[in-house]
Amino acid sequence: MKLRQSFRLSWRSIRGHRLRSALTTLGVIIGVAAVIAFVALGASLQAGIIGDISPDDQRNLYGWAADPDTEGGPLAGAQFVFTQDDMDDVAELTEVEAAYGYATIDAQSVTYGGETSLQGEGLIAAGPSYIRESSIDEGSQFEMGEREAVINPAAAGQFEENVSVGEDLEIQLATGGTETVTVVGITDASEGLSPFEGFESAPRIYVPTDPFYADQAVGPAAGDGDGDDEATSVRFLAIVVESPTADEDDVDAARAAAIAYLESDEADASEFLGEDLAITLQTSTELLQQLEDILDLLQNFIVGIAAISLVVGSIGIANIMLVSVTERTREIGIMKAVGAQNRDVLGLFLTEAIILGVIGAILGTILGLVAAALGAWYIDLPLVYPLEYVALAIAVGILVGVVSGLYPAWQAAKTDPIDALRYE
Amino acid sequence: MGTSADAVTLTDVRKTYHVGEPVHALDGVSLSIEQGSHTAIMGPSGSGKSTLMNLVGCLDTPTSGEVSVGGNRIAELTDRERTDVRGRDVGFVFQTFNLMPRLTALENVALPQLFQGADREERYDRARDLLERVGLADRAAHLPRELSGGQRQRVALARALVNDPAIVLADEPTGNLDTDTEAEVLDLFETFHDAGTTLIVVTHERHVAERAERIVHLLDGEIEWIEELDDVDGDGHRDADGGDGEEATAALEGESDEQVGEPDDRQPEGR
């Protein structure tokens, strides 16, 4: 018997039991939808994160000092150990393009043109090259030692009148003081620039660590009172070391040189370093790798649970196929009496199970993608849905059909026509 | 013992079932059924009618002896080959019609060809032709449940004939029909028999059996006697007004099974 005929006959009997077929398929639909939704969401999440790392960012090494046993994301367990002198010296190393501290300065609000906007995120203090020339849309980088700022479009656009280069912003700091900064540049995008910030879009104001961090930093390690001038005695929690290029060898060389220097006696940081405190210097990709690993683990876990529902769905198909075989014993007898071979009968029931599986898989894929699209839209991520998923889902549907239909179809095929014709 | 003109030959066929102790459903049956003939098989329940039907219909194999259908010795065939012979050389008509409930009359008639690998157009042309011949051309698109009992049996007959089989096996074909419908269906059987179809009808009703050319009486798994019936008008075309009132033209004197396999004096016609 030809496949097409087999398909038509099977389709007929599926349509003969619409409700039953629909409910049976539902198990597979839910299973496939759950798997697809979580996989697509996971992929979207990863793409969202990785997509935000600009190629330029690839040559930055983000560093902090923490107990090597500390587990967690960037800055977990970090201590204030790096001084401005350390940074200046690291920047002098031949393997290093630039080095500077990174800090956030708590702020309450920003006032521009008499209008005040809350700025709970604070200011981001870093070196000038933290904002690449290439990502500045208008104006220029700020300079160290100046009361200048580079802001992103979200920060510029939050007032009734857009902030433009050359204007002053008044910033109310969390500690109570007020700083006036001159906007010297506006970036081209509102996403964060490094894993220290996070990559989501938000109004951000970037300022030089000197004088802002030096003035405002407070805390046990901020100044050790040894008589140095304030700007150099302030210690940083986080640092950024830039390699000359994004080339992996250059990045590794810069990392090695920076760590070697910071661990040497010449560095102020070295007095705290030891077994309990080690320097971590990683690129965005490396840092995100940890996050991705965690995401992967979580995703595999969820997909695993979703896959269980797929198994349950398969059992549902197997069950209904067994019922169907029993119900249609007489029909099997008739078919065999008029010349159906065992393989024809086997093919017929297997086709039926596969049709149920494939329909479930296709509808499940559609439902899963819709769910993923809604989810991605809700958490503001680009939806990633590789077309392979659809092909894969259909393959899974066929597999589910074969696995769940094989035994019932075999039962049907080996039915004795004499008994079957007598079956009431 | 069979000749080439025999559609079916059985030679010393035994069929033994083991239900606790051995039961001989058929115990040494020899019988030849000539092509184009019309044979009725009668006997009480348990006489072996069904077993004989199953063997001739290639649904079962004998414990010993030889069954040959359309020239194929079925005991020597694999299950698959037997299914092939069944699909090609045997047409079944059942008491309970046994139509596929979700297929239309046309699709039911076309079904046997499906398993022979015929393509759609060919199948439906042939099926339409046969539906026309059983007078149901206008019912082609109806499902079995939308047809009367007589119509269903006519569809079943059309289906049995669709592969142009060597024999048509009818098991109590009128058992579920009222008297008028029964006559209609039996007339139709005769029409096809006149056109050359070999008919084997299992029945326990005398007036149905009397439409045949001979009646094989089974008892306890053996042929009790074979009753040869004279043809009313000598051309194989029996009067159709039949029913119970049909003159018993049966030769009532008992004939023993020595006569089994004796060539019939009639030639197959319509070939």
Side-chain angles (χ1 to χ4, degrees):
Chain A
M1 184 170 45
K2 288 167 187 155
L3 195 66
R4 205 157 53 94
Q5 259 95 36
S6 179
F7 181 85
R8 286 169 53 86
L9 273 182
S10 300
W11 181 241
R12 192 71 65 89
S13 51
I14 287 172
R15 280 194 20 208
H17 293 112
R18 272 167 224 261
L19 181 63
R20 182 203 282 186
S21 303
L23 288 176
T24 309
T25 317
L26 201 58
V28 180
I29 292 177
I30 292 171
V32 171
V35 172
I36 290 279
F38 286 118
V39 169
L41 262 185
S44 300
L45 198 58
Q46 297 202 345
I49 292 165
I50 294 166
D52 283 334
I53 304 176
S54 62
D56 248 355
D57 178 52
Q58 295 295 327
R59 63 190 172 106
N60 283 14
L61 286 157
Y62 299 95
W64 65 93
D67 186 327
D69 295 334
T70 311
E71 286 180 13
L75 295 179
Q79 300 294 342
F80 291 86
V81 298
F82 308 101
T83 64
Q84 186 61 47
D85 284 343
D86 288 346
M87 293 299 94
D88 293 343
D89 292 340
V90 169
E92 295 293 309
L93 297 169
T94 50
E95 295 88 345
V96 174
E97 176 84 9
Y100 44 85
Y102 173 96
T104 50
I105 297 166
D106 294 339
Q108 292 174 354
S109 55
V110 184
T111 306
Y112 171 71
E115 200 187 333
T116 300
S117 172
L118 292 173
Q119 181 70 20
E121 303 226 335
L123 311 179
I124 294 155
S129 59
Y130 181 76
I131 302 129
R132 304 271 174 214
E133 294 271 16
S134 61
S135 58
I136 292 182
D137 189 42
E138 194 185 331
S140 61
Q141 295 171 328
F142 54 69
E143 276 177 39
M144 271 295 186
E146 300 293 332
R147 295 191 179 268
E148 293 176 345
V150 172
I151 62 176
N152 68 11
Q158 63 186 331
F159 303 100
E160 210 154 283
E161 192 183 335
N162 278 5
V163 181
S164 51
V165 173
E167 310 272 4
D168 285 350
L169 294 179
E170 234 171 77
I171 295 160
Q172 289 75 45
L173 297 170
T175 48
T178 302
E179 293 275 2
T180 302
V181 298
T182 306
V183 175
V184 294
I186 297 174
T187 63
D188 57 1
S190 296
E191 280 84 28
L193 298 173
S194 81
F196 283 161
E197 296 172 44
F199 291 103
E200 74 283 1
S201 292
R204 289 188 175 87
I205 299 168
Y206 302 97
V207 294
T209 49
D210 175 33
F212 294 96
Y213 182 66
D215 285 354
Q216 303 301 330
V218 283
D224 57 8
D226 64 0
D228 287 350
D229 93 66
E230 230 184 325
T232 53
S233 65
V234 165
R235 291 190 186 248
F236 292 101
L237 189 71
I239 58 171
V240 179
V241 175
E242 295 181 13
S243 116
T245 73
D247 184 78
E248 212 174 302
D249 292 338
D250 288 346
V251 172
D252 286 343
R255 176 179 5 226
I259 290 178
Y261 174 77
L262 289 169
E263 283 175 349
S264 73
D265 290 341
E266 287 171 64
D268 297 332
S270 64
E271 64 182 290
F272 298 110
L273 298 175
E275 275 188 19
D276 295 339
L277 207 59
I279 297 172
T280 305
L281 269 180
Q282 290 186 320
T283 63
S284 293
T285 321
E286 288 163 349
L287 285 173
L288 291 174
Q289 191 57 50
Q290 297 179 349
L291 187 62
E292 271 184 48
D293 288 348
I294 295 168
L295 277 179
D296 275 347
L297 194 73
L298 205 65
Q299 190 186 330
N300 289 345
F301 182 69
I302 296 172
V303 169
I305 292 175
I308 291 174
S309 68
L310 198 57
V311 172
V312 175
S314 312
I315 295 172
I317 292 187
N319 191 26
I320 219 67
M321 289 306 298
L322 280 174
V323 171
S324 181
V325 168
T326 310
E327 266 182 4
R328 281 147 67 191
T329 302
R330 204 181 176 87
E331 288 181 40
I332 296 167
I334 298 169
M335 288 194 289
K336 287 195 156 189
V338 302
Q341 296 286 359
N342 287 354
R343 63 191 145 96
D344 294 330
V345 177
L346 186 95
L348 221 48
F349 281 89
L350 206 52
T351 308
E352 200 171 320
I354 291 173
I355 290 175
L356 289 177
V358 168
I359 289 177
I362 291 174
L363 293 181
T365 306
I366 294 169
L367 187 67
L369 287 178
V370 168
L374 283 177
W377 169 76
Y378 185 70
I379 50 180
D380 195 19
L381 285 171
L383 179 65
V384 177
Y385 49 99
L387 279 178
E388 301 97 88
Y389 287 5
V390 181
L392 192 70
I394 292 169
V396 165
I398 292 173
L399 187 76
V400 163
V402 170
V403 167
S404 54
L406 207 52
Y407 177 71
W410 178 73
Q411 284 275 338
K414 75 181 178 90
T415 303
D416 179 13
I418 299 172
D419 293 340
L421 285 169
R422 225 182 281 144
Y423 187 85
E424 292 301 327
Chain B
M1 52 183 284
T3 67
S4 59
D6 288 333
V8 178
T9 54
L10 290 89
T11 314
D12 196 25
V13 169
R14 283 164 216 279
K15 182 70 187 178
T16 310
Y17 294 107
H18 294 274
V19 244
E21 57 194 63
V23 176
H24 302 290
L26 287 181
D27 201 359
V29 170
S30 296
L31 181 66
S32 285
I33 293 166
E34 199 182 340
Q35 250 174 37
S37 65
H38 184 176
T39 308
I41 295 170
M42 289 190 78
S45 331
S47 60
K49 294 192 306 276
S50 299
T51 307
L52 186 66
M53 282 289 281
N54 291 342
L55 288 173
V56 174
C58 301
L59 288 165
D60 211 347
T61 49
T63 310
S64 72
E66 196 182 290
V67 179
S68 171
V69 179
N72 305 282
R73 299 174 171 203
I74 63 166
E76 293 165 13
L77 302 178
T78 63
D79 186 48
R80 182 182 289 193
E81 290 164 336
R82 206 161 56 241
T83 305
D84 255 350
V85 173
R86 182 162 70 231
R88 212 175 44 232
D89 292 337
V90 184
F92 286 95
V93 177
F94 302 95
Q95 179 176 6
T96 50
F97 321 128
N98 276 346
L99 298 175
M100 300 286 278
R102 275 186 297 274
L103 300 185
T104 63
L106 185 69
E107 287 164 331
N108 263 290
V109 176
L111 188 67
Q113 286 181 299
L114 183 66
F115 303 115
Q116 301 298 318
D119 60 36
R120 204 171 139 79
E121 210 172 307
E122 188 187 333
R123 285 190 291 128
Y124 283 5
D125 283 351
R126 173 87 175 130
R128 231 173 255 119
D129 180 43
L130 273 159
L131 272 183
E132 208 167 300
R133 285 168 68 190
V134 299
L136 288 175
D138 56 334
R139 293 284 187 275
H142 287 59
L143 291 174
R145 65 163 180 273
E146 298 161 349
L147 300 174
S148 71
Q151 289 171 333
R152 288 185 213 185
Q153 200 59 302
R154 277 145 73 189
V155 173
L157 180 58
R159 182 180 65 188
L161 291 164
V162 79
N163 277 338
D164 205 4
I167 48 167
V168 168
L169 274 178
D171 188 2
E172 300 281 5
T174 57
N176 278 12
L177 302 177
D178 60 52
T179 319
D180 290 344
T181 322
E182 174 180 70
E184 262 174 48
V185 168
L186 290 177
D187 287 349
L188 196 59
F189 270 70
E190 278 191 18
T191 309
F192 280 102
H193 170 236
D194 291 345
T197 304
T198 313
L199 270 181
I200 302 174
V201 180
V202 172
T203 184
H204 61 265
E205 290 187 88
R206 179 78 201 168
H207 68 275
V208 174
E210 276 173 357
R211 291 198 172 218
E213 291 149 2
R214 57 174 183 166
I215 304 174
V216 176
H217 291 269
L218 283 179
L219 188 66
D220 295 334
E222 293 176 47
I223 294 180
E224 192 189 18
W225 57 296
I226 295 181
E227 179 181 356
E228 298 287 346
L229 302 170
D230 289 337
D231 196 345
V232 170
D233 39 16
D235 61 358
H237 194 287
R238 231 168 293 277
D239 286 338
D241 58 354
D244 283 340
E246 182 178 335
E247 297 88 58
T249 53
L252 286 172
E253 71 276 16
E255 288 179 70
S256 65
D257 46 351
E258 275 86 75
Q259 282 183 316
V260 166
E262 201 177 81
D264 200 291
D265 58 349
R266 230 179 313 270
Q267 292 303 312
E269 33 185 300
R271 296 270 153 169

